[in-house]
Amino acid sequence: MGIAGSVGPVRAQAAGTALRSLLDLALPLSCASCQAPDHRICPACRLAVADCLWAGGPRAVAPRPAPAGLPEVISAGRYEGPVARLVSAYKDAGRRDCAAVLGGLLASSLEASLGRHATTAHLLRRGDGPVLVVPVPSSRAARRRRGDAPMADLARRACDEFSPTELLPAPALAPRRRVADQAGLTAAQRAANLEASMQVRRSWEQIVDGAVCVVVDDVLTTGATLVEAARALREAGAREVTAATICATQRRAARR
């Protein structure tokens, strides 16, 4: 089926996005971070977002201790304040109008990740890409609850910041089995909960085999999700796997 096999889910997601846009027109407008009226994201919160970003731009981050199999992760800033509230509102409160801001932050992490790796940089220089930008998949329960896959939309938006031939948004991963809600779990419990829980979709197997992949997610917490995503891609033949996130929790260590 190749890339064409992903068209059906993309169309369904586009329909869900259109429906939410119509609903937004009928609802009072308020800031997704502080609920101030008349703004989707108010000027004060937009300025405060900058205070959550790493000085000097996106950087490598890692849990303490880093779990085995974790790819290098680049993050734009800290999971706190308005960034944390926007991520939560986007994913769990249906505020897809935050996508432009969050997609921009993810694009900055992607750009930094691409520049750090010789294999990726070589592909982009020669035009031998594209590099696959692979969103962490939503669970089946989360998709039913939300009506779409929010990270897939952010991956597409982030890729739009680059040349069309450089990066390919690739919803290549799918859940293999049901997992428990991650909230409240320890690092060890998260790792056990997610172990062997993802797989590469059959329609993407040939594309992933031999490809350079950047896994994207919203927040780095314990690293268990990115470890599992990287494992599934490596087992499918990906030759290089790195990761980029919007932000990282404060108990993570930032590394220059």
Side-chain angles (χ1 to χ4, degrees):
M1 293 175 63
I3 295 175
S6 63
V7 170
V10 169
R11 286 177 177 169
Q13 184 164 324
T17 301
L19 177 59
R20 278 192 303 276
S21 298
L22 290 174
L23 292 174
D24 286 344
L25 296 175
L27 296 174
L29 189 64
S30 65
C31 175
S33 173
C34 71
Q35 286 72 57
D38 303 325
H39 294 280
R40 296 185 186 279
I41 303 175
C42 73
C45 286
R46 286 183 180 271
L47 288 174
V49 164
D51 294 333
C52 300
L53 305 183
W54 306 121
R59 62 176 65 168
V61 292
R64 292 178 175 170
L70 181 71
E72 182 179 71
V73 186
I74 302 296
S75 165
R78 297 177 294 275
Y79 180 68
E80 65 178 23
V83 171
R85 291 191 292 271
L86 291 178
V87 168
S88 177
Y90 174 73
K91 288 183 64 177
D92 298 319
R95 290 298 301 263
R96 299 300 189 261
D97 49 340
C98 303
V101 170
L102 297 179
L105 294 178
L106 184 59
S108 69
S109 295
L110 257 178
E111 183 177 25
S113 178
L114 295 173
R116 287 175 63 93
H117 298 278
T119 302
T120 305
H122 183 64
L123 277 177
L124 296 181
R125 280 198 306 271
R126 289 183 50 183
D128 290 342
V131 173
L132 303 185
V133 178
V134 185
V136 167
S138 299
S139 68
R140 294 181 179 90
R143 284 188 69 104
R144 288 194 298 269
R145 184 173 69 251
R146 295 168 178 156
D148 65 357
M151 279 311 304
D153 184 49
L154 289 186
R156 285 194 297 273
R157 285 177 176 270
C159 289
D160 286 345
E161 300 290 328
F162 299 83
S163 165
T165 60
E166 290 180 336
L167 304 180
L168 175 67
L173 291 173
R176 173 180 282 168
R177 60 172 178 79
R178 183 178 298 179
V179 298
D181 190 336
Q182 295 277 83
L185 299 183
T186 66
Q189 289 169 334
R190 284 178 178 238
N193 183 43
L194 290 170
E195 185 176 6
S197 66
M198 298 181 196
Q199 61 188 354
V200 171
R201 299 177 190 274
R202 183 169 299 178
S203 57
W204 283 90
E205 287 177 350
Q206 291 184 341
I207 303 170
V208 168
D209 189 14
V212 173
C213 301
V214 184
V215 180
V216 293
D217 202 2
D218 52 356
V219 185
L220 172 68
T221 306
T222 67
T225 300
L226 296 178
V227 166
E228 173 56 18
R231 177 206 61 77
L233 291 168
R234 289 169 181 146
E235 286 191 359
R239 62 168 149 158
E240 182 173 318
V241 181
T242 59
T245 69
I246 297 168
C247 51
T249 59
Q250 281 295 280
R251 57 181 178 167
R252 304 307 99 196
R255 303 182 301 174
R256 293 194 179 276

